[in-house]
Amino acid sequence: MSTPSPAADGGDTPPPPDAPPARRFEPDLRSMTRITLRPIASPMPLGFFTIALASVMTGCLQLGVFDEAARAAVAFTVLPAFVLQLLVSVLAFGARDVIAATLMAVFAGSWLPYALVMLSGAPDGPQVLGVFNLALLCFGALMTAVTRPKRALWFVLAASLPRWAATGLAGITGAEWLTRTSGALGLLVALVAMYTAFALMLEDMRGEQVLPIGRSGPAHLAVEGDLSVQLRNLERQAGVRRTL
């Protein structure tokens, strides 16, 4: 009497030893996926206050309030602005605000070369910083096109554009009146940045807008909209999607 084979009973025939592994189909994991968001305090007031303080120091030097011998001292006071604004940029990236993070990182990158060139006393330093500021002017002109809904950033950036232009031309040409103009514009940038920082701090403390900032479009919805607005298209944002 013969014994029936496993195939005859509907059983599975074991694969040969050299056969490739069978393909496995994973279950759909979308229903089990959770995306965790970590609220943080807004770093933007710190970034704007840093812009204001550094602009006051550099503006006073350009206006002649400080003697030329104080260039190194001013450079030392501006150098911490690089660290503080770099920190603001990192926190802004973590808060998923690429525009604010990029702008603060570029501001941080502008303070570092200024401080190092001033400390080194390089003979061609003003000309190099002049070209550098004109490059910043080109960057700022492009950024104004995307920061308009974020009026706080836009106003600070708009006030910085003429200063970068005056500083760049003053460094290249050596014209004293352009240097003075850049110093006066630096104080204007400081006033705008100080107001913006103060308005954002009041808004954060009271949970509502106290001083007008002028948000519009997506920036307005981000503050006034409900949670569903905040989480819209979250699966397509950087850090969640597979590639940047």
Side-chain angles (χ1 to χ4, degrees):
M1 179 174 169
S2 61
T3 304
S5 65
D9 291 343
D12 294 332
T13 304
D18 56 347
R23 183 178 179 183
R24 297 181 58 187
F25 293 92
E26 297 290 346
D28 189 355
L29 301 179
R30 287 177 294 181
S31 61
M32 296 181 285
T33 301
R34 297 293 181 270
I35 299 174
T36 303
L37 302 177
R38 182 179 63 182
I40 64 171
S42 174
M44 298 310 295
L46 173 61
F48 288 128
F49 273 128
T50 303
I51 292 174
L53 293 175
S55 297
V56 166
M57 299 307 297
T58 56
C60 287
L61 180 63
Q62 291 173 316
L63 287 172
V65 177
F66 303 131
D67 190 76
E68 283 297 316
R71 292 165 66 91
V74 172
F76 275 119
T77 61
V78 171
L79 191 57
F82 162 72
V83 180
L84 292 176
Q85 290 206 270
L86 185 62
L87 173 63
V88 172
S89 175
V90 172
L91 294 175
F93 275 119
R96 301 180 296 129
D97 193 333
V98 66
I99 295 177
T102 302
L103 190 61
M104 287 296 162
V106 172
F107 268 110
S110 68
W111 300 125
L112 181 61
Y114 174 85
L116 294 180
V117 170
M118 296 287 284
L119 286 172
S120 67
D124 294 332
Q127 289 82 2
V128 173
L129 288 178
V131 175
F132 181 71
N133 277 275
L134 292 180
L136 284 176
L137 176 64
C138 297
F139 161 80
L142 294 175
M143 286 294 291
T144 54
V146 295
T147 57
R148 186 174 295 273
K150 296 174 172 290
R151 293 299 173 86
L153 286 173
W154 188 86
F155 282 127
V156 175
L157 187 59
S160 299
L161 291 180
R163 195 203 181 185
W164 284 333
T167 304
L169 294 176
I172 293 175
T173 63
E176 186 67 21
W177 70 273
L178 282 172
T179 302
R180 304 296 185 191
T181 302
S182 176
L185 290 172
L187 298 183
L188 175 63
V189 172
L191 287 175
V192 175
M194 193 77 71
Y195 169 84
T196 303
F198 185 64
L200 290 176
M201 290 187 69
L202 282 180
E203 182 181 81
D204 187 73
M205 290 174 59
R206 300 189 183 182
E208 61 181 1
Q209 181 174 290
V210 180
L211 296 175
I213 298 178
R215 292 188 184 93
S216 63
H220 177 75
L221 290 176
V223 176
E224 302 295 337
D226 56 17
L227 186 60
S228 62
V229 175
Q230 310 301 311
L231 303 181
R232 186 178 300 166
N233 295 326
L234 181 62
E235 68 276 9
R236 296 183 180 88
Q237 295 187 11
V240 179
R241 64 177 186 256
R242 178 171 297 186
T243 64
L244 296 177

